[in-house]
Amino acid sequence: VEPVDAIVARADALVSDIDLGSVKEWKAAAPSRKVVGQLPIYAPRELVHGLGMLPVCLFGGGDRLEIIRGDAYFQSYICHLPRSTVELLVTGRYDVVDGFLFPSICDVIRNLSGIWKMIAPEKYARYLDLPQNDDPEIGGRFWEMELRSLVEDLERLAGTKLSDASLRRSIALFNRNRELLDELYALRRETPWLAPSSELYVVVRAGAVLPVEEHNEMLRAYLDAARASGRPERDLARVAVIGAFCEQPPLGLLKTLERAGCYIVEDDLLLGLRWIRGRVREDGDPIRALVDAYLKASVASAAKYIGEDEKGRALVEAARRSHAEGVIFCAASFCDPALLDQPMLASALGRAGIQYTSFKFSEDTGQFAVIREQAGTFADSIKLWSEA
Ligand code: SF4
């Protein structure tokens, strides 16, 4: 069993490399290789992989990038992610990426896709309209048309045709990835001291840049190493962290929550990497299989236009399933989808008798003292309350 620290260090190096060094290495290994990047949250990476290209999930520059030109493209009262993403583009960090997908999560991403086409007209860029209706005859037919048209674009980019057999192989590999992720999140729910969230986060996020075959190996290795680590259980408050599904908080913020006395046992970080819950069918028409999975097995989140009740219920169920004693709303500043849903989610928690607190972050937040105090007070109140 590889030491857990070594696996985490490997994952951390991949995640913190804003120059996409591992992606450059992958591409340099064969002249015909292409890379397709996607903004948060969800795009069907199986299609990109099935064509022999590398799907890469782009999450902005985090706290490792100084924004010099990116600010010029956006007003000050929107989230941080588009500024750092543009900064990465104009500083050449995305030169290795041949095409970009902008899933329809919010107006900011929609506008970013337009700005992108002006700044980098030579790059393939597509706004990907996700279905907002789960009726197979309406949303299903729409999504199937969208996917078949996306495949035509991607085939042109790859210079090859996508066969059903190849797409099924990719679906099987991503199914394996979903299985391993499920196992990892279950391990954290049951024994958060063995798989702390600050570690789990980088190991999961490494899948944003690694080929899925390699990420599956990393997940397997981490699961074995975490179980063998023998770390002791501590008396911390179990919390769910909700709202950071798109722009990602700096790793220091997750570590701060842990140091403040919290076990994060549930979260919606990196949601696009685990958007489909369960297996996608590996038989029949593979595009139809992806469509059905989206309609029936994608996660209820602020990124979808579904009933408030459904999202509230999903959060309460997730909190109960993970035995979370409280919920921390942790949204990116100015994130419309997260902040618009928050009052409704808070009401659902109130009705269920689950405590919550909230704060906002930016991907380049560098000062955690206030968050530490707030999270520490919340953890203490949970402990006092549950012991009362
Ligand atoms: S952080 Fe929120 S507002 Fe910003 S791009 Fe993502 S979903 Fe949209």
Side-chain angles (χ1 to χ4, degrees):
V1 177
E2 188 180 352
V4 72
D5 291 348
I7 301 166
V8 174
R10 211 150 39 86
D12 197 20
L14 288 165
V15 167
S16 50
D17 177 13
I18 55 173
D19 292 307
L20 299 177
S22 68
V23 176
K24 284 183 190 145
E25 273 173 36
W26 180 88
K27 192 170 176 177
S32 61
R33 286 188 165 182
K34 296 265 171 63
V35 175
V36 176
Q38 65 159 94
L39 277 291
I41 297 180
Y42 169 77
R45 291 180 288 160
E46 290 89 341
L47 300 181
V48 175
H49 182 273
L51 281 160
M53 302 189 285
L54 182 66
V56 172
C57 303
L58 307 170
F59 288 104
D63 56 358
R64 297 171 297 279
L65 182 70
E66 191 187 352
I67 310 293
I68 297 165
R69 291 163 65 193
D71 273 338
Y73 292 85
F74 297 97
Q75 65 275 39
S76 54
Y77 47 86
I78 61 164
C79 59
H80 201 269
L81 175 129
R83 310 161 201 288
S84 64
T85 309
V86 164
E87 186 75 29
L88 290 165
L89 175 70
V90 297
T91 52
R93 263 100 163 199
Y94 287 160
D95 285 357
V96 68
V97 183
D98 301 283
F100 296 86
L101 301 177
F102 297 82
S104 59
I105 152 89
C106 68
D107 288 346
V108 171
I109 294 285
R110 180 190 293 268
N111 295 341
L112 180 62
S113 72
I115 289 172
W116 210 262
K117 287 177 185 165
M118 288 193 292
I119 305 177
E122 73 288 0
K123 298 270 189 190
Y124 169 72
R126 179 179 176 122
Y127 183 70
L128 192 61
D129 234 334
L130 301 170
Q132 296 294 350
N133 177 308
D134 60 9
D135 182 335
E137 284 306 312
I138 302 171
R141 276 174 63 181
F142 164 78
W143 188 225
E144 185 172 344
M145 272 166 42
E146 186 76 2
L147 288 190
R148 294 201 190 277
S149 147
L150 172 63
V151 167
E152 284 174 17
D153 279 9
L154 293 175
E155 285 178 340
R156 266 193 294 279
L157 193 63
T160 177
K161 288 278 175 200
L162 178 64
S163 71
D164 283 359
S166 166
L167 181 51
R168 279 195 206 103
R169 265 197 305 279
S170 300
I171 288 176
L173 280 164
F174 279 96
N175 275 341
R176 179 71 188 135
N177 194 256
R178 285 183 268 270
E179 248 168 42
L180 289 162
L181 289 173
D182 278 352
E183 190 180 333
L184 179 52
Y185 283 90
L187 177 71
R188 183 185 66 167
R189 261 196 314 275
E190 284 148 26
T191 49
W193 50 96
L194 293 182
S197 290
S198 50
E199 281 188 11
L200 170 142
Y201 179 79
V202 291
V203 171
V204 173
R205 186 163 162 179
V209 290
L210 278 180
V212 63
E213 299 85 342
E214 288 177 38
H215 191 229
N216 287 349
E217 282 170 22
M218 177 181 273
L219 289 171
R220 182 73 268 154
Y222 179 76
L223 276 159
D224 294 343
R227 285 202 177 97
S229 65
R231 289 161 169 157
E233 179 176 358
R234 294 165 59 206
D235 184 28
L236 306 186
R238 297 171 63 97
V239 300
V241 172
I242 300 299
F245 43 80
C246 178
E247 181 172 322
Q248 296 295 289
L251 187 59
L253 192 152
L254 300 183
K255 290 184 177 166
T256 298
L257 295 183
E258 290 175 339
R259 284 189 202 118
C262 299
Y263 277 136
I264 302 169
V265 289
E266 179 69 40
D267 67 64
D268 59 3
L269 298 153
L270 305 170
L271 198 59
L273 299 176
R274 49 206 181 94
W275 184 258
I276 306 284
R277 299 292 157 96
R279 297 178 73 75
V280 177
R281 267 196 343 265
E282 291 173 30
D283 56 358
D285 180 338
I287 301 262
R288 280 292 328 164
L290 287 170
V291 170
D292 291 346
Y294 189 97
L295 296 184
K296 294 187 194 129
S298 58
V299 66
S301 93
K304 280 166 80 175
Y305 298 101
I306 50 176
E308 291 159 13
D309 288 358
E310 202 178 325
K311 293 180 203 174
R313 239 187 347 262
L315 176 56
V316 169
E317 272 166 27
R320 292 211 168 117
R321 189 186 56 222
S322 58
H323 301 292
E325 298 163 287
V327 169
I328 297 179
F329 288 112
C330 167
S333 289
F334 298 107
C335 175
D336 277 358
L339 294 168
L340 285 172
D341 269 16
Q342 205 165 290
M344 282 77 86
L345 296 177
S347 306
L349 293 177
R351 285 194 297 277
I354 300 171
Q355 298 186 65
Y356 58 86
T357 188
S358 71
F359 55 76
K360 295 192 268 303
F361 70 88
S362 156
E363 61 179 349
D364 62 347
T365 297
Q367 295 293 328
F368 303 117
V370 175
I371 289 173
R372 183 167 181 162
E373 278 169 19
Q374 187 179 341
T377 310
F378 186 60
D380 286 352
S381 75
I382 284 173
K383 283 283 148 205
L384 292 172
W385 186 262
S386 59
E387 279 156 26

